[in-house]
Amino acid sequence: MKLQFFIGPALAVVLANPATAESVKIGLITKFPVPFYSTMEEAAKKYAADHPGIELLTGQGQSATDIEGQIALIESMVTQGVKGLAVTPVDPTVAPALDKAVAAGIKVVLVDNSIPGWKGQAALVSTNNLNGGKIAGEFLKTKLKDGDKIAILEGVPGVPALDERVTGMMEALGGVKVNVVAKGATNCTLELGTSVTEDILTANPDLKAIYAACGPPIPGAVKSLANANIANDKIILVGFDACCGELEAIRDGTEDASVAQFPAKMGELGIATVVKAIHGEPVEANVDTGAGLVTRENVKDFE
């Protein structure tokens, strides 16, 4: 894990002259090092720089399954006296650590995904992942017919945001009765995206489409398709996140579409919502940061 401190330039004046304003210390904890979370973190830092009185600490885990690392970051920030936390929970098992933070009077805002059954958050700032999945499903519905075989590259099974993307996709397919011949967990990594796709292609030479619940596995899937000498127009490839090489793949024609999230909005609104909660201002229970479909026709709008 990594832990950083960020204080906006205006805050330096506040700290030098405490009588002018009261600073508030906030922590942002993101899951793991990919461009999506880097963008989120940079937006949060910019928000802190633009708003005097915010002292921002940032931390990040090592991988999509780094539960211990995230718990350690939560505990560290609590010890350092944060008044609020914006957290992208890596797994529901981090809830007890967040319970301790809430018991200490810290306002917790979940970002990117929820924790099923956990009621300690002041708000959830995220994409509506079920609706995002439906965007992918509506696109696939225009490309598939009854009986077509599809495969799903799952993220980390059990993580609600990732599971909802699959559920939404299947719901949006509606009356198109496809045959889901394979599902494989990728832990949202390129490496598993490669190997899981290789296994799927070997077992299903007549596959018509692959849907990935997160962005990092997509370049691996593209590599596996190329290694198998499968033409770009033979298998429809749809992802989620529009990150980690996906925009380049869409532009090159090796990926057909991806559902884009807006991580910069998550970072900005995540910190803004924490600040409101700390100050006792009303906050929305669910802050939807939106989603959109990226295709070759509009990819320039997302670059």
Side-chain angles (χ1 to χ4, degrees):
M1 66 179 177
K2 65 175 184 178
L3 182 63
Q4 299 178 338
F5 301 87
F6 182 81
I7 303 177
L11 183 59
V13 177
V14 172
L15 294 179
N17 184 10
T20 61
E22 183 180 353
S23 63
V24 58
K25 186 184 292 185
I26 295 170
L28 170 68
I29 300 174
T30 53
K31 291 180 183 175
F32 57 103
V34 292
F36 182 89
Y37 293 114
S38 296
T39 299
M40 184 186 298
E41 184 177 296
E42 288 306 311
K45 288 178 177 178
K46 184 178 186 303
Y47 186 88
D50 291 342
H51 291 77
I54 297 176
E55 179 185 354
L56 181 64
L57 284 64
T58 66
Q60 189 173 81
Q62 295 296 318
S63 71
T65 56
D66 186 12
I67 298 169
E68 291 184 1
Q70 185 162 96
I71 290 172
L73 284 167
I74 294 167
E75 292 174 344
S76 174
M77 290 189 180
V78 170
T79 299
Q80 293 176 72
V82 297
K83 299 299 183 184
L85 281 171
V87 182
T88 63
V90 72
D91 187 88
T93 54
V94 304
L98 292 175
D99 283 332
K100 292 178 181 178
V102 173
I106 295 169
K107 299 297 184 182
V108 175
V109 170
L110 301 183
V111 182
D112 189 31
N113 60 273
S114 64
I115 297 176
W118 192 66
K119 305 299 183 183
Q121 73 269 19
L124 170 66
V125 177
S126 72
T127 302
N128 184 318
N129 286 284
L130 186 69
N131 287 345
K134 289 180 180 179
I135 291 172
E138 290 291 346
F139 176 82
L140 284 166
K141 188 175 181 179
T142 67
K143 307 291 183 181
L144 299 172
K145 63 181 185 303
D146 288 353
D148 281 346
K149 295 181 179 181
I150 72 170
I152 298 172
L153 300 180
E154 299 172 306
V156 182
V159 173
L162 301 174
D163 292 345
E164 288 169 2
R165 297 173 188 181
V166 176
T167 300
M169 183 275 293
M170 293 301 299
E171 287 182 1
L173 283 174
V176 180
K177 296 178 175 59
V178 299
N179 184 12
V180 180
V181 295
K183 290 183 178 182
T186 66
N187 289 341
C188 291
T189 65
L190 182 151
E191 293 79 12
L192 284 176
T194 304
S195 60
V196 171
T197 301
E198 287 175 353
D199 293 342
I200 289 172
L201 294 175
T202 300
N204 302 280
D206 52 350
L207 197 67
K208 294 298 182 183
I210 297 173
Y211 172 62
C214 47
I218 285 288
V222 169
K223 179 181 178 181
S224 295
L225 289 166
N227 290 343
N229 295 314
I230 296 174
N232 293 341
D233 60 353
K234 185 176 179 182
I235 293 180
I236 302 159
L237 183 60
V238 177
F240 203 114
D241 286 335
C243 80
C244 316
E246 284 192 271
L247 296 182
E248 293 82 356
I250 291 171
R251 186 176 60 244
D252 296 341
T254 54
E255 181 181 4
D256 294 274
S258 183
V259 178
Q261 300 188 85
F262 303 105
K265 287 182 66 177
M266 291 185 192
E268 176 182 333
L269 291 174
I271 299 304
T273 303
V274 171
V275 171
K276 286 183 178 180
I278 291 170
H279 291 155
E281 299 175 22
V283 296
E284 295 181 32
N286 294 282
V287 181
D288 185 1
T289 53
L293 186 71
V294 186
T295 65
R296 202 170 188 181
E297 288 70 33
N298 69 352
V299 66
K300 290 183 179 180
D301 296 337
F302 292 85
E303 293 179 323

